[in-house]
Amino acid sequence: MPTEKNTQNALADWCLEQITLLEPETRSTRSRDDTKVSLKALRVEASHRHFYRVRGDASNRSWVAMWSPPALENNPQFVVLAQVFQAVGAPQLVASDFERGFFLMEDLGSLHLSDAYESAAGDSLALQRLVDSALDALLPLQEIADPAIPPYDEARLIMEFDLCAEWFAEQLIETPPRPTDAATLADARATLVLAMLEQPKVCIHRDYHCRNLLLRSEAGDQSTIGMVDFQDALIGPALYDPASLLRDCYFTHDESLIRAAMGRFAGRHPLLASIPPKKVMWWHDACAIQRQIKAVGIFARLHLRDGKSSHLGYIPSVLNRAAAVAHQYPDLIALAKLLGRWASAASQHALMQPASNAERSR
């Protein structure tokens, strides 16, 4: 079996071939033997994919290369959705090698929304503008209707909710839910899933958070939103992506900002403007709680199954914030107490020391 280092070397050679084809002028000035590319690993994410910023020593441009193991990732779906979403901020895909799982795409830059959050820390107006810009970018995305995008059905929502009990409670902290806890989880799951299913259905990115969104400068110093990690898009609840953004696993926004941004977004949304604000907020928070519970399960699974500990430090904070939101709703008080116990256990676990807010935003 090839090692990761050998795969990186093969990816570098392949990228050089593709860049030479994309920029044929380099062939006339330098021989291929004299031309090289460098690969700089980008941040580890919650998947089997590996990303690199690619620069050729004979070019002023940069690209992003992705190594996505074909046996572990749905690469054909990635390619289809890259084309579907290019008009709404996804990078242009310029070369593919399905057999090896190699892909070369446009570089959207290195200024993630998380970086902009950190720069704007303490400036509530600047943070509000950033969040509003990202929410505005959702409106054209939510209008997309393509047969390649499957539905976010009830079975999948239930399966995702259950990941937390399975991977975090049972395996990571080795504290299986007691019968009363199992009943609490079942009741809460039914309540949350119902709230998600009754919402208007739109195209959703599903990982619309500060690490997957980039600020791209345009003429006149205007910034547009670029997005990556879109391959898991589904047709689902209209407030799922706003909840991913506003109750981000990697950055904590003030409650006043969340409510102001949610009110503005709903008021501009053709499917939400007539819905009572209290119901809109409940739908939003139901999505947020389900998603945060799912994320904790995925973060634990990354460590236990895939050998990636990169996301463990976020677990205590995510659980605490999910508990705080759940506590606002009488039907979820028992869930809030359970999540609070889990958060306490996570914060005392050697592997899950809480990440700082600055670390979450990087």
Side-chain angles (χ1 to χ4, degrees):
M1 179 177 293
T3 65
E4 183 172 331
K5 183 63 176 177
N6 288 340
T7 301
Q8 289 182 24
N9 291 337
L11 178 61
D13 290 341
W14 179 80
C15 287
L16 177 57
E17 294 173 359
Q18 306 312 312
I19 292 171
T20 302
L21 293 173
L22 291 167
E23 297 189 335
E25 65 273 12
T26 61
R27 286 179 291 183
S28 63
T29 58
R30 302 179 65 172
S31 70
R32 188 180 184 285
D33 290 340
D34 293 333
T35 305
K36 297 180 180 179
V37 297
S38 62
L39 268 60
K40 179 182 179 181
L42 301 180
R43 178 167 43 211
V44 175
E45 294 299 344
S47 74
H48 299 284
R49 295 179 293 273
H50 301 261
F51 294 89
Y52 305 87
R53 177 158 284 110
V54 183
R55 295 186 184 276
D57 62 359
S59 172
N60 294 322
R61 286 190 58 186
S62 63
W63 292 264
V64 169
M66 178 177 75
W67 167 36
S68 181
L72 301 174
E73 297 290 345
N74 186 352
N75 292 333
Q77 181 73 349
F78 171 83
V79 171
V80 169
L81 293 184
Q83 297 169 343
V84 170
F85 292 135
Q86 189 177 330
V88 292
Q92 179 185 8
L93 183 65
V94 296
S96 306
D97 181 333
F98 280 97
E99 184 176 349
R100 292 186 288 181
F102 292 170
F103 300 89
L104 188 67
M105 65 195 83
E106 174 189 8
D107 186 358
L108 297 182
S110 58
L111 181 58
H112 287 79
L113 191 58
S114 57
D115 303 315
Y117 283 168
E118 189 173 355
S119 298
D123 187 339
S124 58
L125 289 178
L127 283 170
Q128 190 81 54
R129 285 194 294 268
L130 289 168
V131 165
D132 287 342
S133 178
L135 288 173
D136 288 346
L138 277 177
L139 295 174
L141 184 149
Q142 292 198 344
E143 293 177 355
I144 293 174
D146 191 285
I149 305 174
Y152 205 172
D153 60 23
E154 182 177 6
R156 187 163 192 157
L157 290 168
I158 290 172
M159 178 275 291
E160 291 177 348
F161 183 93
D162 290 344
L163 291 174
C164 188
E166 177 186 357
W167 289 95
F168 170 75
E170 294 180 12
Q171 299 190 50
L172 188 59
I173 63 172
E174 299 180 332
T175 307
R178 298 169 298 190
T180 53
D181 296 335
T184 292
L185 290 169
D187 289 345
R189 183 182 66 196
T191 299
L192 296 172
V193 170
L194 177 61
M196 298 175 78
L197 292 176
E198 69 181 3
Q199 297 179 37
K201 301 300 182 290
V202 299
C203 176
I204 60 173
H205 179 285
R206 282 189 73 226
D207 275 314
Y208 202 79
H209 59 71
C210 64
R211 287 184 163 189
N212 285 336
L213 302 176
L214 297 105
L215 297 182
R216 308 181 68 193
S217 295
E218 303 290 346
D221 293 328
Q222 296 295 314
S223 292
T224 59
I225 299 293
M227 64 177 189
V228 296
D229 205 16
F230 46 78
Q231 64 284 332
D232 295 322
L234 296 173
I235 301 298
L239 290 167
Y240 190 92
D241 282 346
S244 301
L245 179 77
L246 295 175
R247 299 203 186 277
D248 199 314
C249 289
Y250 308 109
F251 194 92
T252 305
H253 290 295
D254 290 338
E255 198 67 23
S256 58
L257 180 149
I258 291 172
R259 293 186 176 275
M262 194 66 259
R264 178 181 179 274
F265 177 77
R268 294 159 58 92
H269 199 293
L271 300 176
L272 299 172
S274 63
I275 306 296
K278 186 175 181 180
K279 187 163 192 176
V280 168
M281 201 65 209
W282 159 236
W283 281 351
H284 169 272
D285 285 344
C287 290
I289 295 167
Q290 186 269 358
R291 187 175 189 279
Q292 289 173 323
I293 289 172
K294 174 188 74 171
V296 169
I298 290 174
F299 294 168
R301 186 176 67 186
L302 278 173
H303 170 70
L304 294 167
R305 188 191 70 183
D306 304 327
K308 290 185 178 182
S309 303
S310 54
H311 289 63
L312 289 179
Y314 304 113
I315 287 178
S317 173
V318 173
L319 285 170
N320 271 319
R321 286 183 284 139
V325 178
H327 198 78
Q328 299 175 28
Y329 299 96
D331 290 346
L332 298 178
I333 294 297
L335 176 67
K337 292 178 179 178
L338 175 58
L339 295 177
R341 294 205 310 269
W342 282 354
S344 178
S347 66
Q348 297 174 36
H349 198 288
L351 291 174
M352 290 176 279
Q353 296 307 304
S356 70
N357 202 61
E359 288 171 334
R360 284 196 295 276
S361 66
R362 288 177 186 156

